[in-house]
Every structure is written in structure tokens, then in C-alpha cells.
Amino acid sequence: MRESVQAEVLMSFLVSEELSFKIPVELRYETRDPYAVRMTFHLPGDAPVTWAFGRELLLDGINRPSGDGDVHIAPTDPEGLSDVSIRLQVGGDRALFRASAPPLVAFLDRTDKLVPLGQEQALGDFEDSLEAALGRILAEESAGPA
């Protein structure tokens, strides 16, 4: 059985209202951590930065504003499949990205084929490794952007 799904999408990194540029972002989903999606942002001149957050949050954010705290995802036009804004925050520092919705939907569709939404708990070894998975996520969150 395949154990992960990956995709690369181009996102706009919105530095300010006047300045933005495209960056490659790697999306990754793994069955060993079936509730999480990881995005690795490749910013020019910096080491890649990986954020992990709920797969369901990404799915919800494509259709309506979703998320509290450090991650907020929302469609730019709630009337149809549009671009998606992704805001990441650590303390007072924020980063805003914009992505086209169709590649995100395609990625999520592939994750759903691997582990259907709502069936994450059915993975046999997931219950045994839940504590380790949560530890990895918490370690990534506390480390913040590298």
C-alpha cells in the first residue's frame, strides 16, 4: 500500500500589498500521521520551512474561512472555486500566501483515495503511534519556522 502523497504547487508569497513573488511549496501527506498535511515553503535565500496542520482545515479553508491561531485558510472569493489565502503566524510575525484552489483540491483528492476523510482512525497502527505523531507535530509547531 502506498504510504504518502506529494505534490508541488506554486504559491504567491505576499510580502506587502505592492510586492509578491511565486515560490514552490511541497505538499505532503503520510499515512503514519493521517490527520496532518505538511507544507514545505521554499523561500529564496532561506532554508525550507515546513508547517503541519490538519488536513480537514485545508479542505474547509478552500470553501470558507477556517482556522484559529497560527493557521488561517480562506477562499479569496466565497462564491466559487477561487484562489485560497493561507496565513501563517508565529507570535507577531505573519506570512501570507495565495494558491490556486484546483491543485489543492487535486492533492486533497489524492489523500482521500489513500485514507478517506473520516477513516483516519481505521489505520491499524495509528492508535499505537498517536503519541509519537502528536509529539512530532508539537515539536514542529514549537520550533516554528526554521
Side-chain angles (χ1 to χ4, degrees), residues 12-21 96:
S12 294
F13 175 40
L14 306 170
V15 179
S16 68
E17 287 186 28
E18 302 84 29
L19 178 62
S20 69
F21 53 92
L96 183 60

Side-chain angles (χ1 to χ4, degrees), residues 33-90:
D33 193 1
Y35 291 98
V37 168
R38 285 174 172 67
M39 288 188 180
T40 301
F41 298 87
H42 297 275
L43 298 166
D46 286 333
V49 176
T50 301
W51 280 71
F53 50 87
R55 172 171 66 154
E56 197 167 344
L57 172 63
L58 180 58
L59 179 63
D60 290 345
I62 289 171
N63 298 303
R64 66 181 182 276
S66 300
D68 293 323
D70 295 346
V71 179
H72 187 265
I73 303 172
T76 58
D77 177 8
E79 296 302 315
L81 194 60
S82 65
D83 286 352
V84 176
S85 293
I86 301 171
R87 187 189 76 217
L88 307 174
Q89 183 170 337
V90 175

Side-chain angles (χ1 to χ4, degrees), residues 8 13 34 65 77 85 94 99 130 137:
E8 186 172 293
F13 175 40
D77 177 8
S85 293
R94 289 185 182 177
L130 178 60
I137 291 171

Side-chain angles (χ1 to χ4, degrees), residues 90-143:
V90 175
D93 294 330
R94 289 185 182 177
L96 183 60
F97 301 90
R98 180 169 287 161
S100 177
L104 299 178
V105 170
F107 171 75
L108 288 168
D109 184 57
R110 290 174 54 215
T111 72
D112 192 61
K113 287 183 171 103
L114 188 61
V115 178
L117 198 62
Q119 299 297 313
E120 296 90 351
Q121 65 196 17
L123 294 178
D125 63 344
F126 179 70
E127 290 298 324
D128 297 333
S129 63
L130 178 60
E131 189 172 317
L134 288 174
R136 282 192 309 275
I137 291 171
L138 293 173
E140 289 174 10
E141 286 180 357
S142 66

